[in-house]
Amino acid sequence: MSASARGAYEAILRRQSARESAARTYARALPIVPVRARGLTIEGADGRRYLDCLSGAGTLALGHNHPVVLEAIRKVLDSGAPLHVLDLATPVKDAFVTELFRTLPHGLADHARVQFCGPAGTDAVEAALKLVRAATGRTGILAFTGAYHGMTAGALAASGGAPDVRVARLPFPQDYRCPFGIGGPQGVELAARWTESVLDDPKSGVPHPAGMILEPVQGEGGVIPAPDVWMRRMREVTAARAIPLIADEVQTGVGRTGTFWAVEHSGVTPDVMVLSKAIGGSLPLAVIVYRDDLDVWPPGAHAGTFRGNQLAMAAGTATLSYVRENDLAARAATLGTRMLDQLRQLGRHFACVGEVRGRGLMIGVEFVAAEDDGGGDFDAGIRDGAAGELDEPGEPAPVRGPGVAFEAGATATPAPWSEGPRPAAPDLAAAVQRECLRRGLIVELGGRHASVVRLLPPLTISDEQAAAVLDRLADAVAAAATAHTGGPPPPRRSNAASPRRGQDERAQKAGWRGD
Ligand code: PLP
């Protein structure tokens, strides 16, 4: 890159940090200036290319600028159709609703209503809460530990980090950090019983609620899939007590987890579904769909100026039908299973990997303090510069640790919860994210302790691209773990296999290296 181009790009980043809010988020960990993008790849103003496994926080089911999405947007632009229509009927909207209803779980599709909301997921969550309160005449909401539903008042109140008197918090089952310390089916059973007892105990302090809201896979909470059996229990528990069940599929929808909607894994039909992100085909769009007998709220109960985004509806229709026609949900299931297997192999080489989990192409790797360092002074490694500031973002960096090749046939790891969780290592996770960026890989951080590296690649990612992603991630983990321990990362069980066998070849083939 020429000196003047580098100067211009650095100036943009400097102006951003001088002018934008202290509350900005992704921009802090990802100091890049995207100028072009296609599929999985983003090109920065610095001329470097990145594999984008953040995908607009899970929005880009088809990756950046997919041809069918661009064509759909162009068609609306060229047609002279009005771009702003409030919530009036249009052919574009009509086509969107038809395609959306075609995808809905059985049991909801036949008698569903849709409410178009302000264009963010959080506004659709607000609408869902308002709807069930209007329909039941009750106010309380049941929500779960670790949940994330958005940033507006009601959605935030239902999220794990912000208690609200109208929201009763119940345990979300998970193995690695099981609230009951046992994990597995027993942990699930106890979580379900806790919910039942709260509802049935007249002195629980929780009045009969207006609804229950849950994520079929907690995303921001650390990529924690709800067990299918627990999902069915929550359906039974709520149905038996006339409590509407709200599934927040803002992040899990449109094939992401291996079925078109994540509730389909368990066969559960919710009463309300909250949808956003991928349904707009990369543009802002949010709706709720719900059983028509809940539709008793008055006109204007949930208004908003920007509920008629025609470009988003056209992009959304194209995305929904492309995912459906090409069965990208099945592709996400197959590839996701393979990537999870390979990441679990990686985890066996690094004591700092606490758990690898996910469903479909919604994948998380939780980083923890390694067994032998008791939490250690990981920051020292960062301060020493071993995994610190970015010097050449996007440039494949040298492997610092022994590296890992993914091989089949590794021995089974004991269930993670059988060892008990080790302390979360958010600094290490952040270092892995930085090392990924140095290697031209964009990943997300999340989880209750910000210790989970998350992958949300587009459903269109090829096998070769997936291999390149995993290679870069493996290199990044090795580098960050080396910095953490001040030496090669301690192998966990089996010996690390040959360092980068095949990695460069695969990356080269996929077109990500050697640019
Ligand atoms: N619900 C879930 C499950 C989410 O993951 C998010 C955002 O990540 C939201 C709601 C809020 O969506 P938005 O950021 O568009 O308001």
Side-chain angles (χ1 to χ4, degrees):
M1 184 175 43
S2 71
S4 72
R6 174 176 285 274
Y9 135 83
E10 287 172 349
I12 290 175
L13 289 176
R14 265 199 312 278
R15 283 196 292 276
Q16 178 181 45
S17 74
R19 300 194 294 211
E20 290 190 24
S21 159
R24 68 192 185 281
T25 50
Y26 303 103
R28 289 183 183 279
L30 302 170
I32 62 171
V33 181
V35 289
R36 256 179 300 279
R38 186 76 165 197
L40 179 68
T41 310
I42 286 182
E43 193 181 316
D46 56 357
R48 300 191 195 290
R49 291 204 272 164
Y50 302 86
L51 305 185
D52 179 15
C53 282
L54 174 55
S55 295
T59 302
L60 302 168
L62 305 184
H64 292 276
N65 291 327
H66 192 282
V68 299
V69 170
L70 295 184
E71 191 191 323
I73 292 172
R74 278 197 195 103
K75 213 166 141 195
V76 177
L77 289 175
D78 293 346
S79 73
L83 296 180
H84 191 297
V85 290
L86 299 166
D87 66 350
L88 304 183
T90 68
V92 172
K93 185 196 235 184
D94 189 56
F96 173 76
V97 174
T98 302
E99 181 58 37
L100 178 67
F101 277 27
R102 190 178 285 167
T103 69
L104 290 182
H106 297 300
L108 190 56
D110 300 341
H111 44 89
R113 292 279 170 152
V114 60
Q115 162 76 20
F116 284 83
C117 302
T122 194
D123 191 64
V125 170
E126 298 289 347
L129 302 181
K130 206 181 281 177
L131 175 80
V132 296
R133 283 176 171 141
T136 62
R138 305 187 289 257
T139 46
I141 297 293
L142 302 176
F144 290 91
T145 49
Y148 181 74
H149 298 293
M151 280 286 158
T152 49
L156 197 56
S159 302
D164 181 290
V165 286
R166 296 184 306 168
V167 176
R169 190 91 36 209
L170 297 164
F172 192 84
Q174 57 168 315
D175 285 337
Y176 192 62
R177 297 189 186 281
C178 174
F180 306 103
I182 45 177
Q186 284 172 292
V188 173
E189 176 61 24
L190 288 181
R193 280 203 202 174
W194 179 257
T195 297
E196 281 168 349
S197 77
V198 162
L199 287 170
D200 295 342
D201 178 352
K203 301 284 183 197
S204 69
V206 177
H208 200 54
M212 171 189 280
I213 183 165
L214 54 75
E215 294 155 88
V217 180
Q218 285 193 344
E220 304 304 310
V223 194
I224 304 183
D228 293 342
V229 67
W230 179 83
M231 286 288 292
R232 287 191 283 273
R233 276 287 278 286
M234 291 306 101
R235 177 65 286 186
E236 284 161 24
V237 164
T238 49
R241 293 161 183 79
I243 301 167
L245 177 64
I246 304 166
D248 181 345
E249 291 246 22
V250 166
Q251 194 165 140
T252 50
V254 194
R256 166 74 45 203
T257 70
T259 47
F260 203 97
W261 305 108
V263 289
E264 291 166 36
H265 290 291
S266 59
V268 158
T269 303
D271 303 302
V272 185
M273 289 174 69
V274 185
L275 313 177
S276 187
K277 291 199 193 274
I279 63 159
S282 75
L283 298 179
L285 189 61
V287 302
I288 55 172
V289 286
Y290 52 94
R291 265 187 15 227
D292 54 6
D293 59 325
L294 293 171
D295 200 31
V296 296
W297 51 358
H302 196 76
T305 305
F306 289 109
R307 290 178 295 138
N309 187 336
Q310 300 295 288
L311 296 182
M313 289 175 198
T317 307
T319 301
L320 294 173
S321 61
Y322 191 89
V323 171
R324 180 176 56 76
E325 284 163 10
N326 293 281
D327 203 2
L328 292 189
R331 164 74 180 159
T334 314
L335 183 58
T337 302
R338 197 188 319 148
M339 289 177 79
L340 280 167
D341 282 351
Q342 292 176 336
L343 284 167
R344 287 190 179 114
Q345 288 176 45
L346 175 75
R348 277 192 275 276
H349 292 272
F350 293 99
C352 60
V353 172
E355 192 181 31
V356 173
R357 53 184 179 249
R359 200 153 205 183
L361 288 174
M362 194 167 172
I363 292 172
V365 180
E366 177 162 349
F367 286 89
V368 294
E371 280 132 350
D372 54 354
D373 69 5
D377 184 9
F378 177 61
D379 285 344
I382 301 284
R383 279 195 301 273
D384 293 347
E389 290 301 304
L390 291 169
D391 39 23
E392 287 287 327
E395 196 69 69
V399 186
R400 294 166 202 267
V404 176
F406 301 112
E407 288 190 346
T411 53
T413 314
W417 61 90
S418 65
E419 296 172 357
R422 295 199 298 280
D427 292 339
L428 178 54
V432 170
Q433 186 186 39
R434 281 192 294 273
E435 291 292 336
C436 282
L437 194 65
R438 294 188 66 211
R439 289 159 175 77
L441 173 64
I442 297 173
V443 296
E444 159 86 300
L445 273 195
R448 288 145 160 87
H449 309 281
S451 57
V452 180
V453 167
R454 304 182 55 206
L455 300 177
L456 292 161
L459 313 185
T460 47
I461 183 174
S462 69
D463 288 349
E464 285 175 344
Q465 289 172 330
V469 165
L470 293 182
D471 287 347
R472 290 182 191 195
L473 180 57
D475 283 359
V477 173
T482 301
H484 185 20
T485 56
R492 176 182 264 169
R493 287 193 178 82
S494 56
N495 291 330
S498 62
R500 291 161 58 105
R501 189 155 51 83
Q503 294 181 11
D504 288 323
E505 269 165 64
R506 284 203 295 271
Q508 199 81 46
K509 240 166 136 191
W512 310 125
R513 287 220 177 123
D515 46 358

